[in-house]
Amino acid sequence: DARVTQTPRHKVTEMGQEVTMRCQPILGHNTVFWYRQTMMQGLELLAYFRNRAPLDDSGMPKDRFSAEMPDATLATLKIQPSEPRDSAVYFCASGLVLSRYGSSYEQYFGPGTRLTVT
Amino acid sequence: AQSVTQPDIHITVSEGASLELRCNYSYGATPYLFWYVQSPGQGLQLLLKYFSGDTLVQGIKGFEAEFKRSQSSFNLRKPSVHWSDAAEYFCAVGADNAGNNRKLIWGLGTSLAVNP
């Protein structure tokens, strides 16, 4: 059945290293969201794309984070350099927006990438 | 600005007991409302949604929610809780930004524990 996939599921890295997380949205979905979840902040929207174009990345620390969609089947979130405060679970979600009146807000989540930066 | 409040951070119920999780929203127009569930170590799964029509909506796993416009609420209910329902529950409202950039506004979640 169709689902969002994320790799890796777990990542442990040292401070200063580059981290790349990947997401494969559900085939046919045209919107991709990146979230970060921590105990303290809950679920935070980092960025989202529609038809591969970034619509909003205001929730993302610009100096170290970057998000891209090289093609319709792949979204990436990079952190360079990583810091211990980046330790969190990062979720990707996808959805389908057809038009202002002909679509829904439903988002389908991947299993997440648990990142630990030491 | 749109917002979602889940007043209960943590709730504990006994297996077989009824459950109600509260959600209040702030949104100027007719809201699109959602409940998601997150089991430990998992992503979020859509339980149910409300767009329009009947204010009592049915979802998966025996859950239902009722939209009450006068109270700006969308509470989640289940008549008899199972141990497998122990999870984190998130309420969300759909919001349009300028340019029709749709996204969800999330509550902070309610953690549900189920006693045997």
Side-chain angles (χ1 to χ4, degrees), chain B residues 49-90:
Chain B
K49 60 189 178 187
Y50 170 79
F51 289 163
S52 64
D54 194 345
T55 56
L56 183 63
V57 294
Q58 303 297 320
I60 62 172
K61 305 185 180 187
F63 285 91
E64 66 179 26
E66 186 171 14
F67 168 57
K68 293 185 177 180
R69 183 187 300 276
S70 61
Q71 299 177 18
S72 297
S73 69
F74 189 56
N75 293 349
L76 182 70
R77 301 194 295 247
K78 186 169 185 178
S80 178
V81 171
H82 188 262
W83 63 266
S84 62
D85 293 324
E88 189 87 14
Y89 291 81
F90 293 91

Side-chain angles (χ1 to χ4, degrees), chain A residues 54-65:
Chain A
L55 293 188
D56 186 353
D57 61 2
S58 59
M60 201 164 64
K62 301 293 191 303
D63 56 339
R64 299 183 299 108
F65 284 60

Side-chain angles (χ1 to χ4, degrees), chain B residues 10-67:
Chain B
H10 186 85
I11 285 182
T12 300
V13 299
S14 298
E15 191 169 17
S18 63
L19 172 70
E20 182 170 32
L21 301 183
R22 296 183 291 166
C23 173
N24 294 99
Y25 67 89
S26 172
Y27 188 64
T30 299
Y32 291 69
L33 295 161
F34 301 82
W35 276 100
Y36 281 79
V37 61
Q38 184 181 25
S39 298
Q42 303 296 316
L44 281 73
Q45 181 184 18
L46 179 64
L47 274 179
L48 49 76
K49 60 189 178 187
Y50 170 79
F51 289 163
S52 64
D54 194 345
T55 56
L56 183 63
V57 294
Q58 303 297 320
I60 62 172
K61 305 185 180 187
F63 285 91
E64 66 179 26
E66 186 171 14
F67 168 57

Side-chain angles (χ1 to χ4, degrees), chain A residues 9 48 74:
Chain A
R9 291 293 310 276
Y48 69 101
L74 177 65

Side-chain angles (χ1 to χ4, degrees), chain A residues 21-53:
Chain A
M21 291 169 272
R22 293 177 174 80
C23 167
Q24 182 173 5
I26 292 173
L27 188 65
H29 281 188
N30 62 355
T31 308
V32 171
F33 303 82
W34 281 106
Y35 289 93
R36 176 171 61 186
Q37 186 179 42
T38 61
M39 290 293 293
M40 295 300 296
Q41 300 296 327
L43 200 60
E44 301 174 273
L45 178 64
L46 297 176
Y48 69 101
F49 294 76
R50 183 182 301 167
N51 298 323
R52 297 176 54 200

